[in-house]
Amino acid sequence: MWKQLRELLAFEIASGGQVSIVNRLDRETSGLVLVAKTAIAARDFGLLMQRHALRKEYLAIVWGWPEWEHKLIDAPLDRQGKRQDSVIWLKQMIHAAGAPAQTEFFVERRFRRSTCTEGCGFYEISFDPHLHPLPGQGEAVAKRQVRVGEEKFSLIRAIPRTGRTHQIRVHLASIGYPIVGDKIYGPDERLYLRFIETGWTHDLEQRLLLPRHALHSAKLATEGERKWTSALPPDLAEFCSGGV
C-alpha cells in the first residue's frame, strides 16, 4: 500500500510534504485508512489517537446468530506465544496479564446464506465461559459446534475502545462468533499454515467461505468535527445479500 500511496501523492512528496499513515489495518482488512499529507496534520491526528479521540467503527460478518443485540467485551490480550506454545507467532489470546482491551459490539443484521456444496461437516469453536458464562458451563474452556453450511450469519458493528493487535477478531472468536474467512481465529489455525504453503484452494474455500476475513473499517470520526465513511466492499456486500 505504501508504494501506491507514494505514487498517488507524488506531487505532495515532491513539494516537500511528509506523508504519514494515521491508522493501520490488519492484512486482509478492507476499508478506511487515514493519510496525513503534512507533518502538522500527522501531529494533530497523532494527538487525537493518544487521547482516544479518533472513533473507529468496523463491520464484521460472523458465523451464527448472537442472542444479544449489544455486548461489551472487556478482556485483556497478549501474544499467545508468550504464554504457551503457538505455531503462529503473531496470534493473540485473552490472558489476565495482557494489555487492557475493550470492544463494543452491535448486531446490525442476521441473515441466512446457503454455503454447503459438498463435504459439509461440523467444526468446534472454543470460547471462555468465565468471560461470558452460559448456563450449566463450569469448565475453563467451552465449545459449541457450528456446521459448515448451517446458513446462519450476522453482520456486526464493532467499536474498539482500545487498539490491540487483532482485537476485534480475538474478542468475537472468544465468545463463539468468529469472523467468516478468518484463517487464524476461525475453524482451525492450521488453515492459516496451509494457506501459507499452498495459497487459496478449493478445500480452504469449503472451510472458510471467503478468501480473506470479513472485516471492514467502515467509519472514522473525530470529536464533533470530521467523519469519513466507507460502505461494505463488493465481496462482503455480496455475501450479505442472502435473505434475512
Side-chain angles (χ1 to χ4, degrees), residues 10-218:
F11 176 79
E12 285 80 0
I13 295 173
S15 301
Q18 180 179 324
V19 176
S20 303
I21 297 176
V22 176
N23 68 302
R24 298 179 183 273
L25 302 177
D26 291 347
R27 185 185 297 272
E28 296 189 358
T29 300
S30 57
L32 293 166
V33 174
L34 206 56
V35 178
K37 297 195 292 184
T38 67
I40 294 175
R43 182 199 63 196
D44 290 344
F45 280 111
L47 292 173
L48 287 173
M49 296 280 281
Q50 289 180 15
R51 302 201 316 265
H52 302 287
L54 182 64
R55 178 185 173 95
K56 303 176 184 179
E57 294 188 11
Y58 293 77
L59 291 173
I61 303 171
V62 304
W63 291 91
W65 288 359
E67 296 179 355
W68 40 266
E69 300 298 326
H70 167 251
K71 183 178 283 290
L72 176 66
I73 306 298
D74 186 354
L77 300 179
D78 206 349
R79 189 171 64 82
Q80 183 169 282
K82 292 171 58 178
R83 307 297 173 181
Q84 62 187 54
D85 291 339
S86 177
V87 295
I88 301 175
W89 190 89
L90 195 58
K91 186 173 183 178
Q92 307 295 304
M93 68 180 300
I94 292 174
H95 194 280
Q102 286 189 344
T103 315
E104 195 169 7
F105 296 111
F106 298 86
V107 177
E108 295 287 308
R109 180 187 173 202
R110 296 176 179 85
F111 62 97
R112 294 180 181 270
R113 178 183 173 89
S114 178
T115 61
C116 187
T117 57
E118 59 181 79
C120 288
F122 290 87
Y123 69 83
E124 288 187 325
I125 299 172
S126 299
F127 62 100
D128 188 343
H130 292 301
L131 290 173
H132 307 282
L134 298 176
Q137 292 179 333
E139 60 270 25
V141 174
K143 297 178 182 291
R144 77 175 172 90
Q145 286 191 326
V146 171
R147 184 169 73 88
V148 178
E150 74 172 346
E151 301 180 348
K152 289 185 177 181
F153 301 94
S154 297
L155 180 65
I156 304 291
R157 183 171 297 274
I159 303 174
R161 301 303 185 190
T162 51
R164 310 303 175 197
T165 301
H166 299 174
Q167 176 175 317
I168 294 172
R169 297 161 64 191
V170 178
H171 278 173
L172 281 170
S174 75
I175 55 173
Y177 297 100
I179 294 176
V180 173
D182 199 324
K183 302 175 184 70
I184 298 178
Y185 304 102
D188 187 340
E189 67 178 14
R190 289 173 296 183
L191 297 178
Y192 171 77
L193 301 177
R194 192 185 308 171
F195 173 75
I196 296 299
E197 294 177 359
T198 67
W200 187 244
T201 64
H202 179 69
D203 180 60
L204 289 174
E205 182 179 5
Q206 292 295 308
R207 298 293 304 280
L208 295 167
L209 304 185
L210 287 172
R212 57 103 167 186
H213 56 244
L215 183 62
H216 178 74
S217 174

